[in-house]
Amino acid sequence: MKLMAGNSNLPLARAIAGYLEVPLTDASVRRFADEEIFVEIHENVRGEDLFILQSTSYPANDNLMELLIAIDACKRASAKRITAVIPYFGYARQDRKPGPRTPISAKLVANLITEAGADRVLSVDLHAGQIQGFFDIPTDNLYAAPTMAADIQARYDGDLMVVSPDVGGVVRARALAKRLDNAPLAIVDKRRERPGESEVMNIIGDVSGRNCILIDDIVDSGGTLCNAAQALLDAGAKSVAAYITHGVLSGGAVARVDKSALKELVITDSILPTDAAKDSTRIRILPIAPLIGEAVRRIADESSVSSLFD
Ligand code: R5P
């Protein structure tokens, strides 16, 4: 097995390499004067089972291009099998046509990765499970829920309630609730009653006196989360914390979280945390390397990945 890292999240790549006790393959990614990307592998990878680690996070286009070029370099160097390990799969939110004459970019990106020469994909908490079907190659979707559940169980004694911040996230919230001894579930239902009127947040479920755990796949601007946290407190929740797999945290998101009603925002390091996120007293980062490292080991050994979640 060989592990190769793109530049999107080197600390995570090193942590996965540490877990597997496999050194990172000696490769370099350089830029030409016009910013074109050039990847060079400095050791033999012929016949190897090769895993390329790269999140397609900010800057999404550069990181995606780097991944595609790295796959091409490995394919042309005669690697036996190439697995694109994409802890955070960007463009995933564009998974359907929101209106006429719009793209389905998640499918386009899946096509690009496959066409570049990947034989398999490994990702974590894809925005929608059906994105696996956008790839015509085997795709494993890992879940951060067991890691989150262990953390929650170590910190809370009771009165837990798992909350989905929108109707689309109910399946994910139910899966976490099941791992927390079947904790009760609530849903934040956002709706605009009439055009031009501001959105109303309805809470489905009785959250009064509960320690609410909001769960979602992505925190980007933080708007969804911070508004949901306020609505839950207004509805009588005892406390509100959030567990989110991918800390995209664009623009002023960290400042928004710092000023919010959230007791804590817990993210994984699927995306390299910014200095602002690391410095925030409200944000905590859960390491995801053991989960990804174990899945990589099982793929290399041809053993079951799904049994990680039994
Ligand atoms: C949306 O469907 C996702 O699951 C997240 O809820 C969304 O991307 C969060 O975005 P923001 O933090 O900008 O509200």
Side-chain angles (χ1 to χ4, degrees), residues 97-104:
K97 287 182 71 170
R101 297 172 295 283
T102 54
I104 304 181

Side-chain angles (χ1 to χ4, degrees), residues 93-307:
R93 284 172 285 179
Q94 299 183 47
D95 60 353
R96 74 195 77 165
K97 287 182 71 170
R101 297 172 295 283
T102 54
I104 304 181
S105 308
K107 171 63 180 155
L108 171 66
V109 170
N111 286 347
L112 289 171
I113 291 167
T114 311
E115 274 306 306
D119 298 297
R120 310 183 57 93
V121 168
L122 174 63
S123 191
V124 183
D125 280 327
L126 284 166
H127 176 59
Q130 54 270 33
I131 291 174
Q132 282 176 95
F134 288 7
F135 293 91
D136 283 331
I137 49 178
T139 302
D140 289 300
N141 183 24
L142 306 178
Y143 305 104
T147 312
M148 292 174 172
D151 189 79
I152 295 165
Q153 265 159 341
R155 274 158 206 274
Y156 291 86
D157 311 330
D159 294 334
L160 280 178
M161 187 142 201
V162 177
V163 184
S164 172
D166 53 38
V167 175
V170 175
V171 173
R172 183 177 293 113
R174 196 179 295 128
L176 179 68
K178 215 170 135 193
R179 289 182 184 276
L180 295 171
D181 302 323
N182 284 317
L185 198 66
I187 303 164
V188 180
D189 173 39
K190 264 186 309 191
R191 63 179 65 177
R192 205 177 294 278
E193 301 290 349
R194 272 167 224 90
E197 283 187 10
S198 60
E199 269 181 346
V200 184
M201 296 250 184
N202 298 306
I203 312 288
I204 304 173
D206 181 7
V207 298
S208 52
R210 294 285 186 170
N211 293 311
C212 291
I213 306 288
L214 278 160
I215 174 154
D216 210 345
D217 59 329
I218 294 171
V219 49
D220 190 349
S221 68
T224 305
L225 212 56
C226 297
N227 293 339
Q230 191 57 55
L232 289 166
L233 283 184
D234 293 346
K238 184 154 71 172
S239 71
V240 185
Y243 281 72
I244 315 285
T245 309
H246 307 297
V248 175
L249 296 170
S250 310
V254 173
R256 191 167 296 122
V257 168
D258 284 345
K259 277 192 271 156
S260 75
L262 280 170
K263 185 174 115 181
E264 186 179 42
L265 165 61
V266 182
I267 54 175
T268 77
D269 52 0
S270 64
I271 295 174
L272 182 68
T274 59
D275 287 341
K278 282 191 274 191
D279 291 346
S280 166
T281 50
R282 214 59 89 77
I283 299 177
R284 189 157 57 84
I285 299 161
L286 282 182
I288 198 84
L291 175 68
I292 298 178
E294 188 53 36
V296 166
R297 185 201 307 282
R298 289 174 183 220
I299 291 170
D301 290 352
E302 308 279 356
S303 60
S304 167
V305 171
S306 67
S307 58

